[in-house]
Amino acid sequence: MKKDIHPDYHFIDVKLLSGDVVKMRSTYGEENATLTLDIDPSAHPAWTGGNQRLMDTGGRVTRFKKKFEGFGF
């Protein structure tokens, strides 16, 4: 591995929406810098499974179901 071409990898504090602070290693900022998240795993629907709904834009899902209704979908 070449020397002096890689970013410094150090510990930072990551502040979650709940107010919890987690210590992680990162190349972000300086040693002991604080990174405040706008979206985190404790609140975002992609990780919590909330707000899952099927959007039928322009009837595409309905047309698909009608086209393949004989296949048991």
Side-chain angles (χ1 to χ4, degrees), residues 40-59:
D40 69 27
S42 66
H44 196 276
W47 290 291
T48 62
N51 291 339
Q52 291 181 348
R53 59 182 170 195
L54 185 60
M55 299 291 290
D56 190 4
T57 307

Side-chain angles (χ1 to χ4, degrees), residues 4-55:
D4 301 325
I5 64 167
H6 300 285
D8 182 35
Y9 195 58
H10 49 271
F11 282 100
I12 65 166
D13 293 326
V14 179
K15 185 175 181 184
L16 304 176
L17 290 176
S18 63
D20 296 338
V21 177
V22 180
K23 193 164 262 313
M24 293 184 176
R25 291 181 53 101
S26 175
T27 58
Y28 172 80
E30 303 280 324
E31 180 82 22
N32 295 322
T34 301
L35 174 65
T36 304
L37 298 180
D38 294 332
I39 300 172
D40 69 27
S42 66
H44 196 276
W47 290 291
T48 62
N51 291 339
Q52 291 181 348
R53 59 182 170 195
L54 185 60
M55 299 291 290

